[in-house]
Amino acid sequence: MTHTATLVASEQEARALVDRIGEDAILYERSVDLSEIDPDHWQVLVYFEEAPGAAERKALATAAAGIIGTKAAFAIAALPDQNWVARSLEGLKPVRAGRFLVHGRHDRARVRENDIAIEVEAGEAFGTGHHGTTAACLIAIDRVLRSRPVRNALDLGTGTGVLAIAITRAAKAPVVASDIDAVATRIAEENARLNGVAGLVHAVTAPGLSKSVFADAGPFDLIVANILAGPLVMLAPAIRRHLAPGGTVILSGLLVSQRARIVAAYRAQGLRLAGGIEREGWLTLTFRRAS
Ligand SMILES: C[S@@+](CC[C@H](N)C(=O)[O-])C[C@H]1O[C@@H](n2cnc3c(N)ncnc32)[C@H](O)[C@@H]1O
């Protein structure tokens, strides 16, 4: 099973760490991702086909200590299904999640009368509904919208825009759909048009929540973020800042083993854990802010 080692640092440290890994006698063949969570936090992610052994763990620790200091440590986790984009691109059957039916163009005829249908062309972005995290977010969104009104929402890490479109279709409310990746925001815009909700989905390319557009459009009654645990811990204070009193946060992209870390980070922001869904080894958590 694929494993990842992740560490969040400043941009300068993260870039130096990637260079160091590329030069390391044990780690140099590993694939490494460097991504911006927000301008102050960058994530280094190293992939391993199997659980890293003692020599690899030691090499990671030495690299981190050499660049950042001995307190810096990579978090190592098993990835239930690492091939997200490839799975999104498969021509799969429609997916039912709560009241939503996510389908491709070829399955328009399968939409039933009471379905809230979302047609998605994935292209190079993540989010056709087939991944456990997307389906669980759709179920969690459905539950929230059945229990309380949502007047405006944020879909952080929108990918194809599937969650943003689901919210606009079900709540008839505007949604800011943001992604760090400009290709994803373009695809989200196209999908919003395809689903007749372009006027309600505002796609924004941005890492995290640092751009002023979030403060201008917020605070939000509902924030959905299907990213990964590391960035979601870093973004907890910003997410709380942009959440309206009484608002709900749905977090996904989490491993079951990361539950305690996420719950602690969001409780520290004064949010209450209101629910959880486990699907295909992934965890989706719902938090609520007091009114
Ligand atoms: C797992 S996909 C989720 C896509 C879709 N929301 C879904 O649920 O299917 C995560 C998306 O978050 C984006 N992303 C990752 N880190 C981000 C960050 N710090 N700020 C904004 N977007 C980010 C990625 O580019 C990717 O499109």
Side-chain angles (χ1 to χ4, degrees), residues 35-38 41 43 84 88 124-131 133-135 137-138 155-164 178-182 184-185 204-209 214 224-228 231-232 235 252-253:
S35 58
E36 182 182 7
I37 298 170
D38 63 35
H41 300 99
Q43 177 175 265
W84 288 0
S88 310
E124 293 161 63
F126 179 103
T128 56
H130 293 93
H131 196 271
T133 59
T134 313
C137 283
L138 288 168
D155 174 16
L156 176 60
T158 195
T160 58
V162 57
L163 304 181
S178 73
D179 206 289
I180 199 165
D181 177 1
T185 39
V204 176
T205 303
L209 290 160
F214 299 104
V224 189
N226 179 7
I227 308 184
L228 281 175
L232 288 174
L235 290 168
S252 196

Side-chain angles (χ1 to χ4, degrees), residues 69-86:
T70 46
K71 284 199 179 140
F74 276 91
I76 294 172
L79 207 56
D81 172 10
Q82 117 272 22
N83 206 351
W84 288 0
V85 173

Side-chain angles (χ1 to χ4, degrees), residues 63-291:
I67 303 287
I68 306 167
T70 46
K71 284 199 179 140
F74 276 91
I76 294 172
L79 207 56
D81 172 10
Q82 117 272 22
N83 206 351
W84 288 0
V85 173
R87 270 193 76 174
S88 310
L89 294 173
E90 286 170 20
L92 296 166
K93 294 195 189 95
V95 174
R96 267 181 205 289
R99 284 174 289 168
F100 301 110
L101 179 82
V102 188
H103 66 90
R105 184 190 306 266
H106 50 286
D107 276 316
R108 281 182 186 165
R110 297 176 71 162
V111 177
R112 296 188 206 140
E113 201 177 323
N114 291 330
D115 289 337
I116 302 179
I118 303 162
E119 184 170 320
V120 163
E121 296 303 332
E124 293 161 63
F126 179 103
T128 56
H130 293 93
H131 196 271
T133 59
T134 313
C137 283
L138 288 168
I139 292 168
I141 288 168
D142 190 27
R143 286 181 188 163
V144 172
L145 298 185
R146 281 175 188 276
S147 66
R148 52 189 58 220
V150 165
R151 286 152 303 213
N152 68 341
L154 167 65
D155 174 16
L156 176 60
T158 195
T160 58
V162 57
L163 304 181
I165 294 166
I167 297 166
T168 58
R169 300 281 328 267
K172 314 268 182 285
V175 182
V176 174
S178 73
D179 206 289
I180 199 165
D181 177 1
V183 174
T185 39
R186 181 178 51 72
I187 291 170
E189 269 172 357
E190 283 167 15
N191 281 321
R193 241 190 322 275
L194 180 67
N195 286 272
V197 292
L200 285 174
V201 174
H202 178 193
V204 176
T205 303
L209 290 160
S210 49
K211 280 195 175 173
S212 60
V213 60
F214 299 104
D216 295 345
F220 303 98
D221 299 320
L222 173 61
I223 299 180
V224 189
N226 179 7
I227 308 184
L228 281 175
L232 288 174
V233 168
M234 303 309 306
L235 290 168
I239 286 179
R240 160 65 181 73
R241 261 199 314 281
H242 292 286
L243 186 66
T248 305
V249 180
I250 298 170
L251 303 177
S252 196
L254 315 169
L255 302 174
V256 175
S257 59
Q258 293 165 333
R259 182 189 181 99
R261 196 172 143 218
I262 292 289
V263 170
Y266 281 77
R267 278 204 180 129
Q269 299 301 320
L271 303 186
R272 177 177 64 80
L273 181 64
I277 301 172
E278 269 184 50
R279 204 167 162 128
E280 297 167 16
W282 295 95
L283 178 67
T284 299
L285 294 175
T286 300
F287 292 87
R288 200 150 283 156
R289 181 179 166 184
S291 303

